[in-house]
Amino acid sequence: MPRELGAPRPLGWSEPGRTTLEIKTGGWRTRRPMYVEATAPCRAACPAGEAVARWIELARRGELAAAWALIREANPFPAIMGRVCAHPCESACNRRQHDGGVAINALERFVGDWGLRHGARALPDLPRPGRVAVVGGGPAGLACAHALSRRGYRVRLYEAEAALGGLLRYGIPEYRLPRAVLEREIELGIGPGVEVLTGQRLGANLAWETVAGHDAVFLATGASLPLGLGVPGEQAQGIGNGLGFLRDLACGTRPTLGRRLVVVGGGSTAMDVARSARRLGVPSVSVVALEGREEMPALPEEVSQALAEGVEIRNGLGVARFVEGGGRVTGAAVVPAQLERGGDGTIRPLFRPGPSEVMAADSVLLAIGQRTDLAALPPPLRGARGLIAAGKDGATPTVPIFAGGDAASAERTVTHAVAAGMRAARRIDAVLSGGAPAAPAALPGVRALPAHVVAFAEINLDYFPRALRAGRPERPAPGRVGSFAEVVEGFSAVTAREEGARCFTCGHCVDCDNCLIYCPDMAVSRRDEGGYRLSTDHCKGCGLCAQECPRGALQMVSER
C-alpha cells in the first residue's frame, strides 16, 4: 500500500521556496529505470501457472474475493489444490534461501476455503456457437469444462462413474480431501452451460461416434488400468491394486484385508492406501518402496504422517515373488533393490545382491501406477508409451480432437491435470473462434517480462526481516487413525496474514513507494491509477530506485 508521506513533503532543497526540480538532470542519463512485471519463481514452477505472488498480495491486503478470482483464472479449484497439490511452487520460492519458503499451499487453501463460503459462479461470456464434448469428469475434464463454459460454449461432460471428480473422488481419501469440499468446488466450477452425463463409459455404453459428432472433443479419460509387478505368485488371492481399494472405500465398501497388509509402492497412492488401511483397523501395515526415504515420490509430509499413524516403511527393497498357501498370498519375498529408470521413462526394480526376506501378509495391495486404456480410441490417437498422442496444448493429430491429463501425459499430478484442461480449453477456443486468445493487458508504465524469472539475488533482503514459516496444524496422530476426518487443518486469518506478509512478491510492484522516497531528483511520482511515472527531465539514471526496490520490480536499462 502507498504510505502516507505527510504534508508538506520534504523538497530536498535547502533554500526556502525552491526545489531540486529546478535542475533538470535528465540530460546526464545514460541508463534509466524501467518498471517491470517479471515472473516469480513460484509461478514458473506451478504447472497451472498461477499468478501466486499477485494473489498472495491481494490476500494479505484483505482482498480475498479478488485473490480467489485471480487463482481461478488458472485453476478453478483452489480449495482442492490447497489440500492435494504437490506444491512445487514452494520448492522454487526465493524465500527458501532466506528463512524458509512461503507456505503457498496453505495460503491457497485459506483463500479457497473463503471461496467455498462466499464465492459464486463466474458469469459466462455471451453464448458462442460450438458444442464441445468433454470425456472424463476428473480434474482435467472439470477444468476444461469450466473454462469453456465461462467462454460461452455449450459443453457436454461425459463421466464413466456415477459422480464427477475422477481421482479426486475415487482415489483420494476423505482425510485428505473431504467430500464436502469436493462437492462445493465442483458446484462452483461447473456452470449451467455444462450438461453432465454420468455413467457414460467410452467404448462401453458411450460410442466414439457420439463423442466425435461434436464441434470439438477433449479426452480426459485418465489412466485406469493398474500396473503389475510381473513376479511369480502375483495371481494369488489377496493381492489387489491400491486404486481399486481406494475406489471401493469411496463407494462405501470396506474391503477385508486381514491383520497384516503389505503395500508396494512409494508414491502418494501408496501412502493413501496404507493410511486408509490403518483407519480400517488393520494393525500391521508395511510399505515396501524401491526408493530411499528421501527419494520417495510421496510428499515428505505424507511420509511423516504415515509413520506417525503407525505405518512401517521399508525402503530400498523390491518384491521378487509372492508366497502363497492354498492359492492365497501369505507373504512377499523382498530383496535389496533400487529404482532404475529406462530411457523411455519407465521404471523397474534393479535387484542387488543381499539377503532376502519374507514379509508375512494376509493381503497385498500394489500401488505402482496405472496405464491408459486406449482400446476405444481410433488408431491415430494412440501414441507412444501407451498415451494419447497430444501436444502441450492438448492438440492431437486429429483436429478437433484434444486430450490431456493422465490419459495423455506421464506427469500425473492433480495440478498437471488441471493445467492440461485449462490449456486445452484455450486451444479449443482458438480453433472454434478462429483467433488467438487475447494477451493480458499490461499495467500502465510497466513492461511485461514473462520470460524473466526473478532470482534470489534480485531481492533486497534489507526489507525482509527474518520470520519463521508458519506450520500447518494437524490433528494428533493417536486420535486421527480411528476416523477419516481431515488430518491437516487450515490457517487462521491471523496466521494467513502473517504468512502472506513473508512473500517477497518477486517481480511485481506493490506500490511500496521506495522508489519515490529514495529518488534524489524527485523524478518519481504516483499515477492516479496505481504505479509510478518517471520524469525523463529529472531522472539522471543513478539507479538508486532499482537498488532500493525490495522485489526486483525495477530494472536499469541502457538509453542506447
Side-chain angles (χ1 to χ4, degrees):
M1 294 288 289
R3 74 182 67 169
E4 182 53 56
L5 297 176
R9 177 186 169 188
L11 298 178
W13 186 266
S14 58
E15 189 173 340
R18 304 183 65 186
T19 78
T20 53
L21 292 177
E22 294 180 22
I23 305 173
K24 295 189 175 181
T25 51
W28 307 357
R29 190 176 61 249
T30 59
R31 55 178 192 157
R32 61 182 170 83
M34 178 178 68
Y35 291 93
V36 302
E37 180 77 19
T39 299
C42 49
R43 183 174 193 172
C46 174
E50 286 186 22
V52 178
R54 288 175 55 204
W55 67 250
I56 289 181
E57 181 204 2
L58 292 169
R60 71 178 173 231
R61 289 182 174 186
E63 300 175 31
L64 293 176
W68 186 68
L70 184 56
I71 295 175
R72 282 164 52 86
E73 287 182 10
N75 159 32
F77 311 115
I80 292 172
M81 291 303 148
R83 289 169 166 83
V84 305
C85 179
H87 46 76
C89 51
E90 295 186 8
S91 299
C93 177
N94 273 331
R95 187 120 195 175
R96 284 192 75 195
Q97 302 179 59
H98 187 45
D99 54 7
V102 175
I104 299 169
N105 192 235
L107 289 173
E108 183 170 29
R109 170 174 167 170
F110 178 80
V111 176
D113 285 355
W114 180 94
L116 297 180
R117 296 189 298 274
H118 306 288
R121 287 175 177 165
L123 293 175
D125 296 342
L126 291 174
R128 300 179 186 225
R131 297 175 308 124
V132 182
V134 174
V135 186
L142 288 171
C144 187
H146 161 84
L148 289 171
S149 65
R150 282 195 62 182
R151 286 172 167 82
Y153 294 102
R154 288 177 295 156
V155 178
R156 186 168 286 159
L157 176 54
Y158 297 97
E159 165 56 41
E161 297 287 353
L164 295 175
L167 184 72
L168 299 172
R169 181 184 299 276
Y170 297 104
I172 298 180
E174 281 218 62
Y175 65 81
R176 285 214 293 139
L177 178 57
R179 290 296 170 267
V181 174
L182 175 64
E183 299 287 2
R184 176 62 176 153
E185 202 131 70
I186 290 176
E187 178 188 353
L188 288 168
I190 300 301
V194 180
E195 180 185 5
V196 178
L197 300 169
T198 57
Q200 302 287 305
R201 188 175 297 278
L202 188 62
N205 58 349
L206 175 60
W208 173 254
E209 290 73 17
T210 300
V211 170
H214 294 74
D215 297 307
V217 177
F218 179 60
L219 297 171
T221 48
S224 58
L225 302 178
L227 297 177
L229 289 171
V231 300
E234 194 168 347
Q235 303 308 314
Q237 292 181 18
I239 299 177
N241 74 85
L243 269 187
F245 162 75
L246 293 174
R247 183 187 180 283
D248 288 345
L249 208 54
C251 293
T253 301
R254 294 199 161 208
T256 302
L257 299 172
R259 296 183 60 79
R260 298 166 302 183
L261 171 68
V262 170
V263 180
V264 182
S268 296
T269 299
M271 296 300 107
D272 286 342
V273 169
R275 296 173 66 190
S276 295
R278 288 286 295 138
R279 283 162 172 75
L280 294 179
V282 179
S284 172
V285 179
S286 301
V287 172
V288 176
L290 286 171
E291 304 90 348
R293 183 67 54 86
E294 304 300 323
E295 290 78 39
M296 291 174 66
L299 296 177
E301 54 263 37
E302 293 178 308
V303 173
S304 62
Q305 290 163 2
L307 292 170
E309 293 168 7
V311 174
E312 178 192 40
I313 300 178
R314 304 283 302 276
N315 295 98
L317 294 177
V319 177
R321 62 183 174 87
F322 290 106
V323 182
E324 57 182 302
R328 184 171 183 85
V329 67
T330 60
V334 297
V335 297
Q338 64 187 57
L339 182 146
E340 185 180 65
R341 193 174 296 277
D344 59 354
T346 57
I347 59 174
R348 54 182 173 266
L350 178 64
F351 294 113
R352 294 184 285 112
S356 63
E357 173 190 354
V358 174
M359 298 174 63
D362 300 315
S363 299
V364 174
L365 290 173
L366 306 181
I368 55 174
Q370 303 79 232
R371 59 186 175 86
T372 304
D373 186 356
L374 303 176
L377 301 179
L381 295 177
R382 302 174 191 174
R385 299 173 54 192
L387 301 170
I388 299 177
K392 279 287 185 184
D393 62 356
T396 72
T398 308
V399 177
I401 309 297
F402 299 81
D406 290 1
S409 172
E411 294 178 315
R412 290 180 171 172
T413 70
V414 174
T415 316
H416 279 99
V418 168
M422 299 296 281
R423 283 196 303 271
R426 289 192 288 271
R427 185 75 181 106
I428 291 171
D429 177 32
V431 169
L432 294 183
S433 67
L443 299 171
V446 177
R447 183 176 178 184
L449 295 178
H452 177 73
V453 179
V454 179
F456 178 65
E458 296 178 69
I459 303 299
N460 190 332
L461 298 178
D462 291 341
Y463 295 98
F464 298 102
R466 293 184 183 277
L468 290 178
R469 169 190 165 106
R472 303 183 80 158
E474 294 180 5
R475 293 192 303 113
R480 70 194 190 211
V481 175
S483 81
F484 280 82
E486 190 167 21
V487 168
V488 179
E489 300 171 352
F491 277 170
S492 68
V494 172
T495 304
R497 187 166 55 250
E498 292 174 348
E499 186 62 17
R502 296 181 65 246
C503 178
F504 289 158
T505 321
C506 301
H508 175 69
C509 175
V510 301
D511 296 348
C512 72
D513 279 350
N514 265 20
C515 53
L516 184 150
I517 292 169
Y518 285 100
C519 177
D521 301 309
M522 300 180 66
V524 180
S525 59
R526 293 177 184 147
R527 291 177 179 271
D528 292 339
E529 65 273 30
Y532 301 94
R533 179 181 291 106
L534 287 166
S535 167
T536 53
D537 283 343
H538 298 91
C539 173
K540 62 175 179 283
C542 67
L544 196 55
C545 54
Q547 180 181 324
E548 294 302 324
C549 176
R551 44 189 53 83
L554 261 171
Q555 291 185 1
M556 298 303 296
V557 296
S558 173
E559 285 285 25
R560 298 184 178 85

